[in-house]
C-alpha cells in the first residue's frame, strides 16, 4: 500500500535586519510552506522574497496569519474577539495573496500561527470566525488545523477542504491534544522516535499518548521545523524514512 | 457642453479606539473613496467596516497605501528604497483587496497617501516602482496621482489608466506643483474661491498660480476632505456648483 | 468629621494625529493624573505636553503603563510572563520619568492600565512582578491598585505606599470585584447613584454589591473619566457633593 | 607619551525572538556600550539583560536612541521635526535610565543611532534639539557625536561633555565627513589599514581622506562592531595594537 502525506514548514519569518536561521534548502524537502504575513513576523520585502523562493522550489504556498505581536512572535495568547480574528485573517491572507498575484501563482492553504492556532484549536467561536474568513476569501483554500481540533471541525463544517495537522517532534495527550510546552515531556528530541511516531500517525492513523494509550488521529499534513541547525538533517532523515515505508510526500 | 469629473475623499483612517472625525455622509457626495490600509492609518476592522460603508453608498473603492508610520500619519518622508515602496504597496493593495473579495466587489484604483504620494510625485524611481506594483497586481486598476507629476507619468508610461488629481483647497505654483504646506498661502480657505478654482480646472484645464500665471493642468479627479466639521457643507456646496456648471460627478 | 480622598483620571492617551476627547479642564478637578506611556496609548510628544499640562494645574503625576497593544488600547489580555510585565513597567515608568525630570518634577504614583491592571488584580505572580518593578525604580512611588486586589496586596507586602482604588461608575460583586464589563449592570449611568456609591465608599468604607450585600472596601483614590462630553459635568458634580459631605480631595 | 581613548560598541539590538549575532565577549574589550532603547531595536527584556551584562563586565553604559522604524533598523532617514527628535530622545533615555536605576547604576552617555545620528551630524536644528534633550535630562551625561559634526558642536555649545567619535572601518572625505555607504570605498575591510587609521586619528588627530589629504580630526571615542563573526578577532587585534602604541582604552 502507498500512503500520501503533506510535509509543511514555516518560512518568511525574518523581519528587516532580523534574520531567522531559516534553511532555504528545507524547501527541497517539503511540499508546502506557510509564509508569515507581517503581524507576528515577516515584512513586505521578506514576503516577496519568500514567495519567489517557494515558487522556484515548486513548493505550494499558504498564508500563515498570526496575532499582532511581533515582540512576542505571535506566541502570547491575546483576548481578541472572533470578529477581530476574522478581520486580521482576511487582512493577512490578502497581503500574501497580492504577492502571489504578481507571480501569477495560486495560494494553496491558510494555517494560523502560534497562539492564534492554539486558541482556535480550543475555542469554537474563534475557530468558526477563522474558517469563515478563509471561506469568504476563497472556497478553494485548504485550512490547516491541529488534527481533531475545533478549528479542523469548523473548517469541515463550513465545507472547506481541511488538512489535519500533526507534529513530528511533539508528544500527545490521551485526548488527542498536544502536551503543553510547559511540560518536560512536550518535545521528542530523539529523531528515530519522532519519525516512528509520524509513520504510525500516517499509516495507522493513531498516536501513542504520553499515558501509553493509542489515540486515533488523522494525519493529512506534518509540520517540521525549517530553522535551526538540525532542520536539514531531520528533513533528509524523515523523507528517507518515508520512502522506505511507501509514504509519498505531496501537497494536500 | 457637459463635463465629467471624479470626486474622491479619504476614508477609513480610524485606528482601534482612535476615531477620526470622518463624516460618513460625505459618501453621498463623492464618487470614489480612498481607504487606508493599516500602515499610516486604519486597521483590519476599520477596513472591513469602511469597505461595507462605501459599498452601501455605491461609492467606488481604492486602496490608499502609506508609509509605515502610524505616529506620523504617513506624512513624514522616509528614505525608503524603490523596492521597499513596491513591496509595501503590493502588501497594502492586497490587504484591502481581500476585504473587497469577501463582498464580491472590485477595486477601482490606488492612490498613495501623504508623504508617499508627495515623494512619488517628484522621484522618478519611486514613481516607477509604485506604478509597477499597481500594474503587477492588476492592469485594470486606475492609478491616482498628482496632476502632471512623475507618478502620473509613470502610470501612463506603463499603460495604466491614470487619473490626474487636483485639489480644491490648495494653491498652485507656476510649474504646476502644489504650494508647500509650509507657505502661508498654501491653503484656500474661502470656499467660493476653492470652487471657482476647481471649475476652471475641470472646464478649462488650467489653474491660476500664486504668481498669477495660467498653468495648464489635467483634472480627472478632485480630492476633498471627508473629515472636519465643514466637510459636509463643502461637499454640498461644490456638488451644487458643479450642477450649475454642467459638471457631472462620476468615477474614473 | 473630615474625610480625604484622591481623585484621579487618565490623561495623555492621544497618539500622533489621533486625539481623544480628553477634557483638559478636568485637571482643575482631580488631584492626580495617570499619564499613558506609549504602549497602549500616548507618544513622546503627547507625554511631554501632558506632563506640562498637569504641572500647570498643580496635579500630581503618575505613570500609566499598559500592554504593548495600541490597536486594542491595552484592553485585551495578553499572556505575558511576570518577567515581561516587570520589564515593560520599568521601561514605561522610565520613559515618563524622563519628561518629569526635564521639568524638575517628581512622579507620585504608578497605575497599570486596562488589561494589565485587571490581570494584576487577580494574578499573584503578575502582581508581585509589577509591585517589584515600582519598588525597584523608587520606593517613594505610590502603587495604585484595585481596592482589595492581589496587586494592592503585593504593593503592601513589598512595603510600598499603596492606594486602594474605587470606581465611581462601576458596580461591584459581593467578593469586592468589579462587575464584568460584559454584564448589563456593569456600569452606573445615573450620576446621583454613582456619587452616593462613592460617598459611602469614602465615608463608610463599604459598597453595596449588585447582590445587595454590604461589602467592606478601602477607598484611597477614586477614578473618574477625563474624556467624553459629560466628563466635566460629572467632575463638577462629584466635587460639589464631596464638599457637602466634608470630603476633601487631596493627592495620596 | 601615553594616549587615552574610549572604545565603544552597540549592544542590545535583539528584539523578542530575533537575535542579532552580538558577541557578548566584545564587552571584555570595549570601555563603553551603546544600548538600543526599543525604537529601532531592542525591547524591555533585552534592555534589562544587556544592562546587566554590561555592568557585569564593568563597561560604561550609554543610551542609543533611534528613529521609530524597527523594520528599517532606524537606518532610513525620516523627516521628523526638531521637537519630535527632542521628545523621542528624552523618552528613550528615560526608558534605559530606568533599568540602570534598578541596578543602582549611572548612565555615562547618549549616542544617537543610525539615521538619527547621521541627520544630526548635518542638521543644526536637529542637533540642537538632541543636545538640549540630553542636557535637560542630565548635565552629567556625555554626548557622543560624529567627530567635527553639527551634533558635536551643539553639544559643546550647550556645555555638555562631548565625545568626538571616529570609525575604525569607514573612510573619510576631505571635509571630515564619512564616505557615503553608497560609495564603493566607504568601508575599510583590511584590518591592518583600519587599525593604522585609528592609531593615526588618536595619536596625530588626523585622518587621510580618500582624496589623500590629511584632515584634522578629534578622536575621543572609537566605534567598533560588536556583531558578526570577526568582531572578536578585530577587537583583540585593535586592543593589542593599542597596547603597542601606548594607547590606553578608557571610558570618556
Amino acid at each position: 500500500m502507498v500512503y500520501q502525506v503533506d510535509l509543511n514548514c514555516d518560512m518568511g519569518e525574518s523581519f528587516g535586519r532580523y534574520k531567522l536561521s531559516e534553511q532555504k534548502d528545507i524547501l527541497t524537502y517539503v511540499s508546502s510552506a506557510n509564509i508569515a504575513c507581517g503581524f507576528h513576523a515577516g515584512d513586505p520585502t521578506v514576503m516577496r522574497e519568500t514567495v519567489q523562493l517557494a515558487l522556484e522550489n515548486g513548493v505550494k504556498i499558504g498564508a500563515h496569519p498570526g496575532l499582532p505581536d511581533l515582540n512576542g512572535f505571535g506566541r502570547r495568547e491575546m483576548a481578541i474577539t472572533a470578529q477581530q480574528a476574522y478581520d486580521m485573517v482576511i487582512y493577512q491572507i490578502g497581503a500574501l495573496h497580492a504577492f502571489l498575484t504578481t507571480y501569477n501563482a495560486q495560494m494553496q492553504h491558510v494555517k494560523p500561527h502560534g497562539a492564534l492556532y492554539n486558541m482556535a484549536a480550543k475555542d469554537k467561536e474563534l475557530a468558526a470566525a477563522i474558517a469563515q474568513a478563509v471561506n469568504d476569501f476563497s472556497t478553494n483554500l485548504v485550512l490547516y488545523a491541529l488534527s481533531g481540533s475545533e478549528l479542523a471541525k469548523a473548517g469541515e463544517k463550513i465545507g472547506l477542504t481541511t488538512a489535519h495537522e500533526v507534529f513530528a517532534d511533539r508528544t500527545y495527550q490521551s485526548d488527542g491534544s498536544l502536551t503543553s510546552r510547559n511540560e518536560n515531556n512536550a518535545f521528542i528530541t530523539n529523531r528515530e522516535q519522532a519519525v516512528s511516531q509520524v509513520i504510525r500517525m500516517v499509516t495507522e492513523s493513531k498516536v501513542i499518548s504520553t499515558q501509553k494509550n493509542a489515540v486515533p488521529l488523522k494525519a493529512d499534513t506534518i509540520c517540521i521545523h525549517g530553522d535551526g541547525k538540525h532542520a536539514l538533517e531531520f528533513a533528509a532523515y524523515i523523507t528517507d524514512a518515508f520512502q522506505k515505508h511507501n509514504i509519498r510526500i505531496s501537497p494536500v
Side-chain angles (χ1 to χ4, degrees), chain A residues 50-104:
Chain A
T50 309
V51 163
Q52 188 180 333
L53 200 63
L55 293 174
E56 286 168 1
N57 283 275
V59 169
K60 296 290 181 184
I61 292 171
H64 197 38
L67 292 174
D69 177 21
L70 187 69
N71 199 9
F73 203 69
R75 287 181 173 163
R76 302 187 287 204
E77 296 203 355
M78 287 178 70
I80 58 169
T81 65
Q83 181 67 63
Q84 288 169 339
Y86 177 92
D87 296 336
M88 65 179 70
V89 168
I90 291 286
Y91 183 98
Q92 293 179 74
I93 291 175
L96 184 70
H97 174 262
F99 289 101
L100 286 164
T101 299
T102 67
Y103 287 100
N104 211 16

Side-chain angles (χ1 to χ4, degrees), chain A residues 8-240:
Chain A
N8 78 74
C9 76
D10 298 347
M11 287 299 281
E13 296 188 322
S14 292
F15 181 83
R17 195 188 160 197
Y18 295 115
K19 310 296 177 199
L20 286 196
S21 61
E22 289 174 345
Q23 309 298 320
K24 294 180 177 182
D25 289 345
I26 202 86
L27 292 172
T28 61
Y29 295 100
V30 300
S31 41
S32 302
N34 321 303
I35 300 183
C37 301
F39 273 43
H40 74 280
D43 64 36
T45 298
V46 168
M47 288 165 75
R48 178 181 45 77
E49 292 169 347
T50 309
V51 163
Q52 188 180 333
L53 200 63
L55 293 174
E56 286 168 1
N57 283 275
V59 169
K60 296 290 181 184
I61 292 171
H64 197 38
L67 292 174
D69 177 21
L70 187 69
N71 199 9
F73 203 69
R75 287 181 173 163
R76 302 187 287 204
E77 296 203 355
M78 287 178 70
I80 58 169
T81 65
Q83 181 67 63
Q84 288 169 339
Y86 177 92
D87 296 336
M88 65 179 70
V89 168
I90 291 286
Y91 183 98
Q92 293 179 74
I93 291 175
L96 184 70
H97 174 262
F99 289 101
L100 286 164
T101 299
T102 67
Y103 287 100
N104 211 16
Q106 301 296 317
M107 188 182 290
Q108 174 190 240
H109 68 282
V110 176
K111 172 181 163 179
H113 166 84
L116 187 61
Y117 180 92
N118 293 330
M119 293 192 295
K122 292 170 286 182
D123 181 325
K124 271 189 192 187
E125 202 191 350
L126 212 57
I130 293 172
Q132 187 74 53
V134 175
N135 194 68
D136 284 359
F137 184 75
S138 169
T139 53
N140 292 325
L141 287 169
V142 180
L143 178 62
Y144 279 36
L146 180 67
S147 185
S149 67
E150 288 298 335
L151 182 57
K153 288 175 194 159
E156 286 167 347
K157 191 174 170 191
I158 209 169
L160 283 168
T161 304
T162 301
H164 288 258
E165 183 176 47
V166 296
F167 292 81
D169 66 345
R170 297 288 299 270
T171 64
Y172 285 79
Q173 298 296 296
S174 294
D175 64 354
S177 68
L178 294 173
T179 306
S180 164
R181 280 170 183 266
N182 299 324
E183 301 297 322
N184 285 330
N185 59 348
F187 289 91
I188 301 175
T189 50
N190 177 292
R191 69 181 187 181
E192 283 77 17
Q193 200 182 329
V195 166
S196 72
Q197 168 169 299
V198 166
I199 288 169
R200 178 178 287 119
M201 293 194 286
V202 174
T203 61
E204 304 178 31
S205 295
K206 68 184 181 199
V207 69
I208 306 302
S209 72
T210 59
Q211 297 86 2
K212 308 291 177 197
N213 294 317
V215 184
L217 191 85
K218 287 193 70 177
D220 300 322
T221 183
I222 298 160
C223 181
I224 65 168
H225 294 296
D227 60 338
K229 50 184 175 176
H230 299 303
L232 288 179
E233 277 175 52
F234 184 76
Y237 185 80
I238 199 169
T239 51
D240 187 55

Side-chain angles (χ1 to χ4, degrees), chain A residues 2-5 198-199 202-203 242-243 245-249:
Chain A
V2 175
Y3 300 92
Q4 189 169 311
V5 76
V198 166
I199 288 169
V202 174
T203 61
F242 278 5
Q243 214 159 12
H245 287 80
N246 288 325
I247 301 173
R248 202 162 66 84
I249 296 169

